[in-house]
């Protein structure tokens, strides 16, 4: 259903790139027009050759930091939190 279409894969937090590397694998076997990546938070600790085309926030973090992304209908509880 995605053949010859533009595809945007969205991830909440891009850290090492492992999740996106595995998520992109099925699209490499299909002739698609364009593949782009959007992330809500880019942490920048790449272990896999993945980069985002669209980034919501870029955070300088350590490997020990944990980033929590909350999205919901209650706007007082939404946001990106470094915990």
């Amino acid at each position: 259903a995605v053949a010859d279409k533009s595809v945007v894969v969205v991830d909440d937090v891009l850290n090492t790139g492992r999740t996106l590397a595995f998520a992109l694998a099925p699209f490499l076997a299909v002739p698609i027009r364009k593949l782009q990546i959007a992330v809500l938070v880019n942490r920048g600790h790449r272990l896999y050759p993945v980069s985002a085309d669209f980034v919501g926030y870029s955070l300088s973090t350590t490997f020990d930091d944990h980033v929590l992304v909350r999205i919901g209908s209650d706007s007082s509880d939404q946001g990106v939190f470094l915990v």
Side-chain angles (χ1 to χ4, degrees):
V2 296
D4 198 35
K5 299 202 175 160
S6 297
V7 176
V8 178
V9 176
V10 180
D11 195 6
D12 58 350
V13 179
L14 176 55
N15 189 25
T16 63
R18 180 179 180 193
T19 301
L20 277 172
F22 285 104
L24 296 175
F27 296 107
L28 300 177
V30 179
I32 58 176
R33 185 175 301 159
K34 188 176 199 179
L35 179 63
Q36 293 181 300
I37 299 170
V39 296
L40 299 177
V41 179
N42 183 5
R43 291 184 62 184
H45 300 288
R46 294 297 167 279
L47 296 177
Y48 291 81
V50 175
S51 63
D53 299 291
F54 307 101
V55 177
Y57 291 103
S58 291
L59 295 178
S60 296
T61 62
T62 67
F63 279 114
D64 295 329
D65 291 332
H66 179 74
V67 175
L68 175 64
V69 177
R70 286 194 181 155
I71 301 173
S73 59
D74 183 9
S75 62
S76 66
D77 196 30
Q78 294 182 13
V80 175
F81 304 93
L82 184 62
V83 291

